[in-house]
Amino acid sequence: MDGSNNKVFAFLEKNLMGPMGKIASLKVVRGIMGAGMGAIPFTIVGSMFLVFNILPMTFPFLEDIFNATFFKFSDLYMLANSTTMGILALYFCVGLGYEYTKIIAEEDDLNMAPITGALLSMFAFFLSIPQLVMDNGTVVRLTDTEANIINGWAIGGDGVSRLGTVGIFTGIIMAVIAVQLYRLCVSKNWVIRMPEQVPEGVSRAFTALIPAFIVAFVILIITGVLVLFNTDIFQLIAIPFGFVTNMTSSWIGVMVIYFLIHALWIVGIHGANIISSLIAPITLGNLALNADGAHIPLAGEFQNAFVTIGGSGATLGLCLFLVYMAKSEQLKVLGKAAIVPCLFNINEPLIFGIPLIYNPFMAIPFFLAPMVSASIAYFAIQLELIRPVIANMPWPSPVGVGAFISTGGDWKAAVVAVICAASAFAIYLPFARAYDKKLVGEEKAIGSEESAGESVSA
């Protein structure tokens, strides 16, 4: 038994931990992680205003009150939503430009200013947004009043459409190109250097001058070539990333995501940080689409609302078992110490205290519980039994509360979250009992040895 388990852990370490560890260590991947984390506070703020605005849909008795009061100012306070979720691509682009430049500057010892990287990324992104076409051999900005495209700029309900979710991946690509061109200029010393007496702000402006010209030329050349083929960067990037987005929104894709998260955890890598950060552009994009009427299960904080209740591995039920049902003194003490953090989806005390990592007794439920919870929530949303996630809740929200908030006040979603937690508990129960029994036996054996030692001493 132990030999086969060791082979499984060795297989995961070699074929999963190694490759994923290398991917997670890439500068650009860490930059995307930082950009995603940086955007979360703004999406939560914008989401809360959306939840407030749709409360009458959940509680119809509020409709007349809202019509007479709050809805008179809806266009004012909903600016907090449209200027966050409505321009999500811009947040990602600027955040990635800043984080990516900062990482390169620190690790490659280059004199690169993160703020310059952020601004160059935004510059490159805006250069790619207008839609251009060939008209009798002349490049012109597209105008299509039926499609709300004015002088090349497509206008949607929240402003420029391409600044929203449709532009997230283009924004990421533009940021990577801009920062890499900036890096090239600095490493080759293609910058204008000012005397030391010149103020830093002025000096930085001239340092960015040549990189800005190069970014402009490169993006304009790329755009021009694509116009000749009757396409643009957005349409080109939509092909591969659209496929990835569709895959992650399928049930199989969701299962793969949660398998990878927990396979990484089981060999000691923080799988939630790595995988969740990588798919953040997709889940945040799906969140905005759901707010506009889509019905995509994997969106926003779907994970913390329904899947990993109590933390990675969906361990809330396991923690309750330790507190109220465990016979092992070790597990009882650990459960009491971990119960409060676990209520708020923080379970590192359990992961490293039981431990759940490298533990053959608990590996199966650690994989299975979140995948079952994800399946329950996925099909509840897919079958339209509950609303999809339309708002980004604070991820430490307790069981039921997060689901209620993130679905815009759907009480049935809170019930589904409780069902997910109960299902996870049922999966853990037989394994937890077996592990508890094993530890009780070990504790009794240690106690007997200590008693025997004391008798000999006496």
Side-chain angles (χ1 to χ4, degrees):
M1 178 72 179
D2 289 340
S4 62
N5 283 323
N6 289 334
K7 289 180 181 179
V8 170
F9 290 130
F11 176 82
L12 290 174
E13 281 185 327
K14 180 181 177 181
N15 296 283
L16 188 65
M17 181 178 175
M20 289 305 299
K22 290 179 181 178
I23 291 173
S25 67
L26 293 174
K27 293 183 180 71
V28 65
V29 172
R30 285 149 53 204
I32 292 172
M33 291 180 185
M37 295 298 290
I40 286 175
F42 301 98
T43 61
I44 291 176
V45 170
S47 295
M48 291 305 100
F49 281 90
L50 175 63
V51 170
F52 176 77
N53 211 45
I54 64 173
L55 278 178
M57 294 175 58
T58 306
F59 306 106
F61 66 87
L62 293 175
E63 187 171 352
D64 291 338
I65 298 172
F66 271 59
N67 284 333
T69 54
F70 299 114
F71 284 164
K72 292 181 180 294
F73 305 96
S74 178
D75 283 348
L76 173 63
Y77 63 75
M78 282 301 289
L79 286 174
N81 180 265
S82 59
T83 54
T84 50
M85 302 306 299
I87 57 171
L88 201 54
L90 186 59
Y91 283 91
F92 258 94
C93 180
V94 174
L96 175 56
Y98 185 93
E99 294 288 342
Y100 193 24
T101 304
K102 184 179 177 182
I103 292 169
I104 292 174
E106 291 175 351
E107 298 184 8
D108 294 351
D109 195 24
L110 292 173
N111 187 22
M112 298 171 65
I115 185 64
T116 300
L119 293 175
L120 287 172
S121 300
M122 183 173 65
F123 177 45
F125 185 38
F126 275 114
L127 283 173
S128 70
I129 290 176
Q131 298 180 52
L132 306 173
V133 293
M134 292 294 295
D135 184 14
N136 296 323
T138 303
V139 177
V140 297
R141 296 192 184 192
L142 177 64
T143 293
D144 185 343
T145 53
E146 291 185 3
N148 281 336
I149 303 174
I150 310 299
N151 203 24
W153 297 83
I155 307 301
D158 291 326
V160 179
S161 299
R162 286 186 164 185
L163 290 176
T165 56
V166 296
I168 288 177
F169 292 113
T170 303
I172 290 173
I173 299 298
M174 289 298 103
V176 172
I177 292 174
V179 173
Q180 282 296 336
L181 290 173
Y182 181 29
R183 179 183 182 278
L184 176 67
C185 291
V186 173
S187 63
K188 298 294 184 180
N189 205 25
W190 298 343
V191 294
I192 299 173
R193 298 194 180 278
M194 304 298 289
E196 292 183 2
Q197 294 81 3
V198 175
E200 184 181 352
V202 177
S203 178
R204 185 186 299 136
F206 280 94
T207 301
L209 190 59
I210 293 176
F213 268 114
I214 292 178
V215 167
F217 282 128
V218 169
I219 301 303
L220 291 176
I221 289 170
I222 293 172
T223 300
V225 170
L226 292 175
V227 169
L228 293 176
F229 290 94
N230 197 32
T231 186
D232 61 22
I233 295 170
F234 278 78
Q235 296 176 49
L236 195 67
I237 290 175
I239 297 171
F241 285 107
F243 174 77
V244 173
T245 300
N246 290 334
M247 278 296 295
T248 55
S249 295
S250 68
W251 177 74
I252 293 294
V254 171
M255 291 299 97
V256 170
I257 287 169
Y258 290 110
F259 172 80
L260 289 175
I261 288 174
H262 294 88
L264 287 169
W265 259 127
I266 208 72
V267 290
I269 292 181
H270 201 308
N273 272 358
I274 294 174
I275 303 298
S276 300
S277 297
L278 289 174
I279 66 170
I282 296 173
T283 56
L284 288 175
N286 290 345
L287 178 72
L289 292 174
N290 283 345
D292 289 336
H295 215 86
I296 306 170
L298 187 65
E301 287 291 347
F302 172 85
Q303 177 170 302
N304 288 306
F306 297 105
V307 184
T308 55
I309 296 171
S312 293
T315 56
L316 179 60
L318 173 62
C319 195
L320 292 173
F321 171 87
L322 301 186
V323 175
Y324 297 107
M325 301 172 67
K327 301 291 192 295
S328 163
E329 291 301 321
Q330 175 186 333
L331 293 182
K332 280 183 179 179
V333 171
L334 180 62
K336 290 175 182 177
I339 186 62
V340 173
C342 219
L343 289 171
F344 297 94
N345 299 331
I346 301 168
N347 70 340
E348 277 76 3
L350 292 184
I351 286 178
F352 299 106
I354 290 180
L356 293 172
I357 59 173
Y358 289 105
N359 188 335
F361 284 88
M362 304 303 293
I364 291 176
F366 189 71
F367 277 109
L368 192 58
M371 294 175 76
V372 169
S373 296
S375 298
I376 293 170
Y378 178 92
F379 287 110
I381 294 172
Q382 190 74 6
L383 298 173
E384 300 189 15
L385 301 177
I386 62 173
R387 288 184 198 157
V389 175
I390 62 169
N392 223 13
M393 69 175 199
W395 67 266
S397 301
V399 57
V401 176
F404 181 80
I405 294 172
S406 62
T407 55
D410 188 350
W411 65 269
K412 291 179 291 184
V415 173
V416 168
V418 173
I419 292 172
C420 289
S423 300
F425 173 72
I427 291 168
Y428 270 107
L429 189 57
F431 296 92
R433 279 178 171 162
Y435 189 59
D436 180 46
K437 185 176 180 180
K438 172 181 176 292
L439 291 185
V440 168
E442 291 177 357
E443 289 170 0
K444 286 181 179 178
I446 292 171
S448 299
E449 288 177 5
E450 290 177 350
S451 298
E454 290 174 1
S455 300
V456 171
S457 300

